[in-house]
């Protein structure tokens, strides 16, 4: 089937056959998560997991609702600021800090979504980009963000007052837990009746509306949820790196998360994580060479759009189905 | 009268002039975006990068060949246009007919490459670019300070915008263009070479961006990322104006520049975000934009 859309249509009726494979992959993934901190640099793996969750949250919107948000950095970075500030200045529990950051992202998502969903397609993308730029300037000016310096030296503290997060493995455990909770929530939403309605909106909004679904409410709900999960990822990243800066709210970050989804496979559950892994690795590699990584990311964008629009996981899934 | 609402007149008039000056750039860029989107159905994210490219080409040609500003104002945009022809033929051509989001993502990728390469070759520090000698003066008219160069830019941008409007709305070529926007197969059936029209349109839009870049070079520093923040504001302008009409793009460009300038007088802290805030308000009350047809 020649599809010109941004997402791969679900292959109904084949789920049963693929289930053992999925279970196998899931098990392999869990084993890899358990082994990773001993094989790789743990902070790198934690960064990767945060971005994987961020990209998955973004993908929920693009892949399952068909909305391209160019402003997701606002939620990622905004939550990072809130968590960093609440943990460092107010001295609250790091887990509560993450929850607060997530909540803040959801609130921002509600405000931004309420305005942005009034336009569709290309205008939606431009509107979210403009609104996130506004949020960027607000954070640049806000008294608690320290402008260019950001919030530095955020203490990781003790989770629930007990677990010392300055121990790398403890922090790693928390990040894995956050990642799994986030991914499970996304998976649960996609496979719920609510998720089915979202897909119906993506496929044919007019028809879904004529069937009595209030498109705007469903879209706003998905937007807020996606923003919250993006915030969860950003809040966790703030604790991992103990810093929240303008980089996380800048539009470049919104572009990166789009590329992660696109590269891995829009509309696939695992794709964004694969894409995030690749991009984070590439960024780490080029950070040492002095060659601007943006050129590489730009070329990847061009390559993805022109040559493989289904992304890595999408292409693999297509091959497996043949 | 030296004061209006407690604001000294020279300050107010200075900011109005500055607002119109910024508005000239918004108008030129949003006009190019609207022309390109009208026919190609592609939002040209690379517009800011092409703007930067115009400024850089002018800077380099000025350095190497010592060309005068007037020559640069012609040569640099033409070179940007040539680059755009190659870009359209090699890349953009392949995304026509796909979801318009792909065009956005493709041109975003191109923008990253152009800006990244500019940063790699020329560093992040801004390059100085002097104003043409003939326009470096300042006039005083009734207490108003008029820097000649700013007035020049506003007038030239206005003429360019009106010329473009006339070209599209009042000439035979423009009629083909509008017809192709409405119904492409039919125009092709009449023997119009639409692929060439598409290339020319993209090149023209890019040329406008390059032209704006050369004019911006003496005032804003020439740097790799001079276009990237500007393009986001221009996107907001385009959302406010609606991309349906050429006149709307021009009017909202100048209008928002003016709003921004006035905000600098009244509440300087909000000057950066006022365009975005207006966008939010407009979307709330008129989702299709000020001049847009209902989508």
């Amino acid at each position: 089937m020649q599809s010109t859309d941004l997402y791969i249509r679900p292959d109904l009726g084949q789920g049963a056959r693929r289930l053992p494979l999925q279970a196998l992959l899931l098990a392999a993934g869990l084993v890899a998560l358990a082994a990773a901190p001993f094989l790789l640099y743990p902070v790198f793996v934690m960064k990767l997991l945060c971005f994987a969750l961020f990209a998955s949250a973004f993908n929920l919107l693009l892949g399952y609702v068909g909305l391209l948000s160019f402003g997701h950095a606002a939620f990622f970075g905004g939550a990072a600021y809130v968590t960093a500030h609440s943990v460092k200045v107010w001295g609250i529990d790091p887990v509560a800090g993450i929850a607060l950051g997530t909540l803040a992202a959801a609130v921002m998502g509600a405000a931004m979504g309420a305005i942005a969903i009034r336009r569709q397609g290309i205008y939606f993308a431009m509107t979210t980009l403009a609104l996130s730029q506004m949020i960027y300037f607000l954070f640049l000016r806000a008294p608690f963000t320290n402008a260019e310096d950001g919030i530095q030296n955020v203490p990781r503290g003790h989770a629930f007052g007990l677990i010392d997060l300055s121990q790398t493995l403890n922090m790693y455990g928390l990040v894995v837990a956050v990642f799994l909770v986030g991914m499970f929530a996304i998976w649960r939403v996609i496979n719920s009746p609510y998720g089915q309605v979202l897909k119906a909106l993506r496929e044919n909004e007019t028809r879904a509306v004529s069937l009595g679904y209030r498109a705007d409410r469903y879209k706003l709900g998905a937007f807020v949820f996606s923003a919250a999960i993006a915030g969860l990822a950003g809040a966790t990243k703030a604790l991992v790196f103990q810093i929240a800066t303008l980089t996380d709210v800048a539009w470049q970050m919104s572009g990166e998360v789009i590329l992660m989804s696109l590269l891995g496979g829009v509309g696939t559950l695992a794709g964004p994580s694969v894409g995030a892994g690749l991009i984070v690795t590439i960024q780490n590699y080029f950070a040492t060479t002095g060659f601007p990584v943006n050129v590489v990311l730009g070329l990847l964008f061009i390559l993805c759009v022109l040559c493989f629009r289904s992304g890595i996981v999408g292409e693999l899934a297509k091959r497996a189905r043949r | 009268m030296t004061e209006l609402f407690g604001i000294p007149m020279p300050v107010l008039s200075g900011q109005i002039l500055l607002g119109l000056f910024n508005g000239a750039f918004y108008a030129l860029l949003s006009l190019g975006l609207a022309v390109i989107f009208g026919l190609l159905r592609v939002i040209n994210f690379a517009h800011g990068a092409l703007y930067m490219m115009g400024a850089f080409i002018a800077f380099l040609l000025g350095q190497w060949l010592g060309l005068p500003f007037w020559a640069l104002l012609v040569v640099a945009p033409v070179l940007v246009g040539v680059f755009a022809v190659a870009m359209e033929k090699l890349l953009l051509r392949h995304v026509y007919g796909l979801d318009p989001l792909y065009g956005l993502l493709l041109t975003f990728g191109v923008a990253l490459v152009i800006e990244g390469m500019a940063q790699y070759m020329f560093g992040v520090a801004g390059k100085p670019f002097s104003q043409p000698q003939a326009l470096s003066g300042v006039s005083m008219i009734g207490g108003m300070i008029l820097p000649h160069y700013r007035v020049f830019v506003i007038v030239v941008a206005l003429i360019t915008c009106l010329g473009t409007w006339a070209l599209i709305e009042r000439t035979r070529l423009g009629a083909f263009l509008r017809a192709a926007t409405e119904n492409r197969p039919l125009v092709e059936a009449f023997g119009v070479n639409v692929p060439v029209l598409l290339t020319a349109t993209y090149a023209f839009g890019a040329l406008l961006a390059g032209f704006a870049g050369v004019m911006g070079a003496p005032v804003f520093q020439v740097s790799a990322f001079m276009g990237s923040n500007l393009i986001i504001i221009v996107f907001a302008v385009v959302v406010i104006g609606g991309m349906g009409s050429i006149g709307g793009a021009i009017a909202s460009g100048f209008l928002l520049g003016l709003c921004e300038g006035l905000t600098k007088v009244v509440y300087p802290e909000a000057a950066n975000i006022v365009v975005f805030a207006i966008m939010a308000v407009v979307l709330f009350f008129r989702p299709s934009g000020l001049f847009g047809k209902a989508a």
Side-chain angles (χ1 to χ4, degrees):
Chain A
M1 185 176 66
Q2 190 66 37
S3 171
T4 59
D5 296 311
L6 275 169
Y7 26 77
I8 305 146
R9 274 154 219 282
D11 199 358
L12 299 170
Q14 296 209 349
R17 193 168 58 77
R18 289 215 315 276
L19 201 61
L21 180 68
Q22 280 182 346
L24 216 64
L25 283 175
L26 185 67
L30 289 176
V31 171
L33 278 181
F38 304 103
L39 302 173
L40 297 162
Y41 182 50
V43 174
F44 171 76
V45 184
M46 289 192 268
K47 180 179 178 187
L48 203 153
L49 287 175
C50 290
F51 276 102
L53 186 60
F54 180 29
S56 301
F58 166 81
N59 175 54
L60 174 85
L61 214 50
L62 178 58
Y64 296 93
V65 200
L67 293 172
L68 173 68
S69 162
F70 226 115
H72 257 49
F75 312 129
F76 186 73
Y81 270 126
V82 171
T83 301
H85 183 75
S86 62
V87 169
K88 186 181 178 184
V89 181
W90 298 341
I92 67 172
D93 190 281
V95 177
I98 290 177
L100 202 62
T102 310
L103 184 71
V107 171
M108 279 195 288
M112 203 159 136
I115 297 165
I117 55 163
R118 300 174 78 83
R119 298 303 296 265
Q120 275 144 22
I122 210 86
Y123 283 99
F124 179 85
M126 288 194 288
T127 307
T128 44
L129 176 61
L131 289 174
S132 76
Q133 186 75 353
M134 181 160 105
I135 292 178
Y136 172 88
F137 281 118
L138 290 178
F139 277 120
L140 179 66
R141 288 283 187 167
F144 73 95
T145 57
N146 307 330
E148 268 85 11
D149 294 339
I151 303 176
Q152 298 181 0
N153 300 323
V154 179
R156 282 182 182 167
H158 290 66
F160 308 111
L162 293 170
I163 308 160
D164 183 7
L165 292 179
S166 58
Q167 301 289 322
T168 308
L169 273 186
N170 290 348
M171 188 67 218
Y172 182 77
L174 180 70
V175 173
V176 169
V178 164
F179 174 76
L180 290 178
V181 166
M183 289 302 281
F184 177 75
I186 291 171
W187 178 80
R188 197 64 205 87
V189 165
I190 291 170
N191 290 294
S192 67
Y194 179 78
Q196 296 298 325
V197 178
L198 292 180
K199 281 176 227 167
L201 284 173
R202 178 191 77 188
E203 297 296 317
N204 191 340
E205 183 168 337
T206 322
R207 180 154 163 74
V209 171
S210 78
L211 288 172
Y213 293 109
R214 303 188 63 165
D216 280 1
R217 286 194 184 177
Y218 278 91
K219 280 188 193 168
L220 184 60
F223 195 86
V224 172
F225 178 71
S226 173
I229 301 286
L232 178 65
T236 312
K237 182 182 169 267
L239 277 191
V240 171
F241 287 95
Q242 301 178 283
I243 187 169
T245 61
L246 285 171
T247 320
D248 295 338
V249 270
W251 58 268
Q252 285 91 341
M253 184 63 81
S254 299
E256 276 170 31
V257 77
I258 296 173
L259 182 57
M260 288 171 186
S261 288
L262 198 63
L263 188 63
V266 173
T268 62
L269 195 65
S273 298
V274 173
L278 268 173
I279 299 292
V280 171
T281 310
I282 288 172
Q283 280 174 332
N284 267 25
Y285 175 75
F286 278 96
T288 55
T289 61
F291 188 78
V293 69
N294 272 358
V295 175
V296 183
L297 298 187
L299 289 174
L300 276 175
F301 252 112
I302 296 170
L303 191 73
C304 277
V305 171
L306 291 183
C307 303
F308 64 127
R309 286 186 282 276
S310 312
I312 295 168
V313 173
E315 291 288 341
L316 287 177
K318 268 193 207 164
R319 296 237 166 118
R321 242 176 261 152
R322 271 189 206 132
Chain B
M1 191 173 74
T2 54
E3 279 194 7
L4 189 70
F5 307 122
I7 297 157
M9 266 318 265
V11 173
L12 189 66
S13 61
Q15 288 302 332
I16 287 176
L17 190 73
L18 194 64
L20 285 175
F21 175 75
N22 285 335
F25 290 95
Y26 299 160
L28 278 176
L29 291 174
S30 64
L31 174 65
L33 278 182
V35 169
I36 292 172
F37 183 76
L39 192 61
L40 278 67
R41 296 286 138 188
V42 167
I43 287 290
N44 188 30
F45 212 122
H47 222 63
L50 294 171
Y51 163 87
M52 178 271 290
M53 204 180 207
F56 255 106
I57 290 175
F59 169 75
L60 291 175
L61 289 181
Q63 291 261 303
W64 295 339
L65 306 176
L67 289 182
F69 182 75
W70 314 105
L72 295 174
L73 211 48
V74 177
V75 178
V78 168
L79 289 178
V80 174
V82 170
F83 176 83
V85 168
M87 195 179 140
E88 196 272 345
K89 282 189 179 291
L90 290 174
L91 304 172
L92 273 181
R93 183 141 292 188
H94 302 283
V95 297
Y96 297 154
L98 297 179
D99 192 314
L101 292 176
Y102 281 119
L104 182 79
L105 295 178
L106 180 70
T107 48
F108 178 67
V110 174
L112 285 182
V113 173
I114 297 175
E115 284 172 357
M117 286 314 287
Q119 182 202 346
Y120 188 54
M121 291 192 285
F122 307 108
V124 281
K127 302 263 183 280
F129 189 100
S130 50
Q131 288 179 7
Q133 205 85 67
L135 294 173
S136 54
V138 173
S139 292
M140 296 279 285
I141 297 174
M144 251 178 95
I145 304 158
L146 293 176
H148 291 170
Y149 185 74
R150 303 221 156 158
V151 177
F152 164 79
V153 167
I154 294 170
V155 172
V156 169
L158 209 56
I159 293 171
T160 312
C161 287
L162 292 177
T164 307
W165 176 82
L167 180 74
I168 291 171
E169 301 287 338
R170 292 282 180 270
T171 66
R172 194 169 163 74
L173 182 69
F176 282 145
L177 209 77
R178 279 177 288 134
T181 307
E182 294 287 328
N183 189 338
R184 192 181 148 175
L186 194 64
V187 176
E188 266 178 328
F190 279 128
V192 177
N193 193 339
V194 173
V196 168
L197 205 59
L198 291 172
T199 311
T201 305
Y202 188 69
F204 179 72
L207 194 136
L208 283 178
F211 185 66
V214 182
M215 290 209 294
V219 181
F220 313 112
Q221 281 200 326
V222 181
S223 75
F225 298 104
M226 66 189 286
S228 56
N229 287 326
L230 186 62
I231 194 64
I232 301 178
I233 301 178
V234 173
F235 275 174
V237 171
V238 160
V239 172
I240 294 168
M243 268 184 302
S245 77
I246 301 292
I250 300 168
S252 40
F254 278 105
L255 214 65
L256 286 157
L258 203 57
C259 288
E260 206 182 50
L262 291 176
T263 312
K264 275 201 189 114
V265 183
V266 183
Y267 188 60
E269 285 79 10
N272 278 333
I273 61 162
V274 67
V275 174
F276 304 121
I278 293 175
M279 182 193 76
V281 173
V282 167
L283 277 179
F284 208 77
F285 292 104
R286 271 187 70 100
S288 54
L290 284 182
F291 304 93
K293 295 158 225 161

